[in-house]
Amino acid sequence: WDDQWTGVKDSAREAGRNPDDLVGAVYLTLAINDDAAKAQQQVDTFMEEYYGASAKVLAKHQATYAGGAAGCAEWLKGYADAGATHMVLRFAGEHERHMDIIAEIRASLGWGALVSCGPLPCKPLFIEHRFSGSSLSFCPGSALAWVAGKSRARHRRRTSMS
């Protein structure tokens, strides 16, 4: 992502645009589990069921993470350090557990306390799971807000139909 983002900013400069006006955004799929093999299986199964294609093929075009929380923190930090100011994290199952882990990772990276965050221009990092409707939005060095779009009951109904 870093090389591609650098290329986008360079293209903006060449076109006479201010690259600081651009927003670096990434869409990432992950499964956090100390058992890396289990986490990888979760990601592979999720991707294959969602897209109907081989996880091996999809991994060439989409960023995924499977492993422990410490490794995930470093992985996410790498995107932030490279200029990603918006992140959408899609969880390969266990949504509430992942939301809790991501909140802990956020705190460990010093990206702010568990309080409400304002809208843009703070350029939030945004975490959601489109099926559960659960989401986190946060700004590096600022705050974190919990947003629940759909009820847990709806999530349970959708999960039970899977």
Side-chain angles (χ1 to χ4, degrees):
W1 187 86
D2 189 13
D3 290 340
Q4 292 171 336
W5 180 235
T6 299
V8 167
K9 291 188 301 183
D10 289 345
S11 294
R13 261 187 226 94
E14 291 168 12
R17 294 183 57 197
N18 181 355
D20 294 333
D21 291 341
L22 302 175
V23 175
V26 292
Y27 185 70
L28 310 166
T29 303
L30 55 94
I32 302 171
N33 193 312
D34 289 334
D35 181 340
K38 182 178 178 182
Q40 188 62 58
Q41 184 58 49
Q42 285 177 295
V43 168
D44 290 350
T45 299
F46 177 84
M47 297 294 280
E48 287 174 353
E49 289 177 359
Y50 191 87
Y51 291 104
S54 162
K56 193 174 194 175
V57 170
L58 293 167
K60 294 177 183 177
H61 306 285
Q62 294 196 27
T64 62
Y65 174 82
C72 185
E74 288 302 312
W75 185 66
L76 294 174
K77 186 178 182 307
Y79 282 99
D81 289 349
T85 56
H86 287 57
M87 295 181 187
V88 177
L89 304 184
R90 178 174 58 173
F91 307 125
E94 302 177 279
H95 313 116
E96 296 299 323
R97 186 180 73 77
H98 278 100
M99 296 290 277
D100 292 340
I101 293 169
I102 290 297
E104 291 171 9
I105 287 172
R106 182 180 191 289
S108 77
L109 292 172
W111 288 349
L114 187 60
V115 294
S116 190
C117 177
L120 293 175
C122 66
K123 299 183 179 180
L125 301 177
F126 184 70
I127 301 164
E128 73 172 353
H129 188 274
R130 73 173 56 161
F131 295 126
S132 72
S134 299
S135 62
L136 291 172
S137 178
F138 54 86
C139 306
S142 178
L144 175 131
W146 175 264
V147 179
K150 299 178 186 172
S151 71
R152 289 179 185 230
R154 180 177 173 97
H155 170 61
R156 282 193 293 270
R157 280 197 306 274
R158 182 175 274 286
T159 302
S160 66
M161 296 179 352
S162 308

